Amino acid sequence: KPGTEPSTPVTPAQVRTTIRITSTPAGAVITLDGKATGSRTPATLDVAPGGHLVALSLSGYTTLTRSVDVTKGRHASLAVTLAKAPPVVSGLLRVTSKPAGAKVKVDGKVVAGTTPLTVSVAVGSHALQVSLQGYETYTRTRVDVVKGIETVVVAQLVPVPADKDYVNKVSGFGFRYPGTWQIVQSQGSTEPPAWAEVRSPQGASVRVTVTDAGGATVEAYTAALKVELEKAGGVVSAVGPRTVKGIVYEHLVCTQGSVRTEYCMLLSAGSMYRLACSAPVDGIAAATPGFLVVLGSFYAAP
């Protein structure tokens, strides 16, 4: 009608889908669908329509889990009574080590202090780790702790062998190899060898060999080696340069039957050196870390 103000459209209120969660006693932490909500009971949570998994946890009470279905635009409710958790029966675990002063983890959690120490833990089976700088970590996957008896574990720590240097005076090269490896020299020869072999403790078939290949250029030697390996039935791959700790090698990999060998060639002080790492195809990973130590430390004296 003339002179009448037009009416303002009414916007419907936003429709909420919620779950009202209460517990006795109150104050339980609410987890929704496996994710923390940051809320404690009592609380009302906005949720998506459909099924949800609600978990309530409170110190001294058993964690409770319930499924709740919520229809779009409706308000569901969940009211529960939490049951008291059974008392935790604990026992004593005493850990000592030789040498002392080691750090201790029980079930993956760090224990305050260093060995020797005594810690109160729940009765049952526990995983134990004892570690000290310069020593291999002592591990036990199962330590049984019983009520009324102090369980004692003595960890005899084994020193980690230090990396060692090898120098071949005949060919004038040297390198560092892991302390857990051995140098194997040629037997039956009165002359010092012009090569060196280092062997991994993971298996006698895992080895690194360093050979003085003379004065050939790296490119020519690598090309000839590739042809030679392929003629012998090997499958050659990964041809190209490889840099380890600033040292540039010409590199190729050959798989022949069940054995895989990684070759790295370097020209230094007028001589060409070939470093080769050989192992069964399924065991090459065991040799690679040690081989990188050798590659990264290799030098040839002028």
Side-chain angles (χ1 to χ4, degrees):
K1 297 179 181 180
T4 304
E5 294 292 333
S7 60
T8 302
V10 177
T11 302
Q14 183 180 4
V15 177
R16 297 174 61 196
T17 304
T18 64
I19 303 176
R20 175 69 177 173
I21 306 171
T22 61
S23 68
T24 304
V29 174
I30 303 172
T31 302
L32 183 68
D33 299 327
K35 298 180 180 179
T37 63
S39 299
R40 292 177 177 266
T41 57
T44 299
L45 305 180
D46 288 306
V47 297
H52 296 278
L53 193 64
V54 177
L56 302 179
S57 57
L58 183 63
S59 179
Y61 292 83
T62 301
T63 297
L64 182 144
T65 304
R66 291 287 187 272
S67 296
V68 181
D69 290 319
V70 190
T71 303
K72 182 177 181 179
R74 303 298 296 272
H75 307 288
S77 62
L78 174 66
V80 299
T81 298
L82 301 177
K84 281 189 172 292
V88 176
V89 180
S90 60
L92 294 178
L93 174 61
R94 181 165 179 77
V95 183
T96 64
S97 67
K98 296 181 181 180
K103 296 180 180 179
V104 175
K105 286 184 179 180
V106 177
D107 298 329
K109 297 181 179 179
V110 178
V111 177
T114 58
T115 57
L117 56 79
T118 301
V119 59
S120 177
V121 296
V123 167
S125 297
H126 299 275
L128 176 68
Q129 282 188 329
V130 183
S131 58
L132 182 63
Q133 182 70 32
Y135 293 83
E136 296 179 4
T137 299
Y138 175 92
T139 302
R140 281 182 59 176
T141 57
R142 177 169 178 170
V143 177
D144 293 322
V145 177
V146 298
K147 182 181 179 181
I149 300 177
E150 184 180 68
T151 301
V152 179
V153 175
V154 179
Q156 184 68 54
L157 302 180
V158 178
V160 175
D163 289 351
K164 300 177 183 178
D165 291 323
Y166 171 80
V167 177
N168 189 303
K169 295 181 181 178
V170 173
S171 293
F173 67 78
F175 57 84
R176 176 164 293 179
Y177 65 97
T180 53
W181 288 29
Q182 296 177 338
I183 286 286
V184 181
Q185 299 227 335
S186 175
Q187 300 298 318
S189 173
T190 57
E191 296 296 327
W195 52 268
E197 180 183 322
V198 285
R199 183 169 295 164
S200 162
Q202 283 86 348
S205 60
V206 177
R207 64 184 63 183
V208 172
T209 305
V210 182
T211 307
D212 180 354
T217 66
V218 175
E219 293 77 8
Y221 185 92
T222 303
L225 176 62
K226 181 176 182 295
V227 172
E228 178 186 339
L229 293 172
E230 289 177 335
K231 282 184 177 179
V235 178
V236 176
S237 61
V239 179
R242 179 178 189 182
T243 303
V244 181
K245 291 190 175 180
I247 303 175
V248 181
Y249 294 91
E250 197 63 27
H251 169 253
L252 64 83
V253 175
C254 177
T255 302
Q256 192 163 15
S258 61
V259 177
R260 182 177 178 180
T261 304
E262 182 171 356
Y263 295 93
C264 290
M265 280 65 68
L266 171 72
L267 183 64
S268 178
S271 292
M272 214 288 300
Y273 296 91
R274 185 185 78 185
L275 291 78
C277 176
S278 299
V281 172
D282 58 357
I284 192 72
T288 298
F291 189 40
L292 289 176
V293 171
V294 175
L295 291 177
S297 66
F298 185 80
Y299 69 91

